Amino acid sequence: MNNHLKGLLIAFLGVLMLTPDPVLVRLADADTFTILFWRGIFFALGVLIILYATYRKNTFKELKNIGKPGVWIGLLSGIGGVTFIAAIQYTSIAKVLVIISTAPMVVAIISWVIINEKPKLYTWISMLIIVTGIYIVMKGDTGTLNVMGSSLAVISIIAGGYSFALTRKYGNVN
């Protein structure tokens, strides 16, 4: 299997696994910090198990080797995850997912700024259509909680966008 097909398969499986996430967060009927605590614990355990299964006794050496770029990528990913969960608690799941769906556009813009990867014309046209769609969705967003939730969702995609762009820029970081 070539790398492109492998990447598509991983992306598809990732979307399939993450699709019920917002609904499960809402169904948990717990406050934001409780959800973030348990989510963080299980995420950290999962990562450590994968690292240990991959590197065995070199696990901590690999963790130390990530350096500043790895720490920034991790921090930005964490901010994206925290603001995503908080956004779900403050506004509708549909609104959060519409905002989150703009992530590829945000990554394209941030990648242009950070690694000088200029988007093609059709990407700019897609971005214009996306921004128009978001404007339509957000137009009636006047409640304080909705604005807070929408703002948190935007912060989530910006943090995620920087994280993805830095991951591409520092491809040598494990």
Side-chain angles (χ1 to χ4, degrees):
M1 176 181 313
N2 67 30
N3 282 342
H4 181 73
L5 188 57
K6 203 181 303 184
L8 287 174
L9 183 60
I10 290 170
F12 174 75
L13 290 173
V15 168
L16 196 62
M17 289 190 318
L18 292 175
T19 298
D21 193 33
V23 175
L24 294 174
V25 167
R26 193 57 75 74
L27 289 174
D29 197 30
D31 66 284
T32 304
F33 293 106
T34 302
I35 292 170
L36 288 171
F37 173 79
W38 288 109
R39 188 179 166 106
I41 292 289
F42 286 118
F43 184 79
L45 284 173
V47 168
L48 285 174
I49 288 168
I50 291 169
L51 281 173
Y52 183 74
T54 306
Y55 298 107
R56 301 280 182 211
K57 59 185 175 183
N58 293 327
T59 298
F60 291 105
K61 181 179 160 194
E62 285 295 321
L63 280 172
K64 285 197 308 191
N65 287 341
I66 66 170
K68 277 186 188 176
V71 170
W72 274 110
I73 291 166
L75 182 66
L76 289 165
S77 295
I79 290 169
V82 167
T83 52
F84 173 71
I85 297 299
I88 291 169
Q89 301 287 27
Y90 282 102
T91 192
S92 71
I93 293 172
K95 193 165 286 190
V96 171
L97 293 180
V98 165
I99 294 168
I100 296 294
S101 71
T102 66
M105 175 184 81
V106 173
V107 171
I109 292 169
I110 293 172
S111 293
W112 183 27
V113 172
I114 290 181
I115 55 179
N116 206 23
E117 205 175 69
K118 190 174 181 188
K120 294 182 171 53
L121 177 63
Y122 62 84
T123 304
W124 286 110
I125 293 168
S126 300
M127 288 181 195
L128 183 62
I129 293 167
I130 289 168
V131 169
T132 303
I134 289 195
Y135 172 76
I136 292 167
V137 168
M138 306 293 278
K139 193 167 132 183
D141 208 5
T142 56
T144 308
L145 289 180
N146 281 339
V147 171
M148 175 68 135
S150 298
S151 299
L152 287 166
V154 168
I155 292 168
S156 179
I157 61 170
I158 291 171
Y162 273 102
S163 175
F164 282 117
L166 288 175
T167 300
R168 288 180 55 98
K169 182 176 182 175
Y170 298 105
N172 60 329
V173 175
N174 190 345

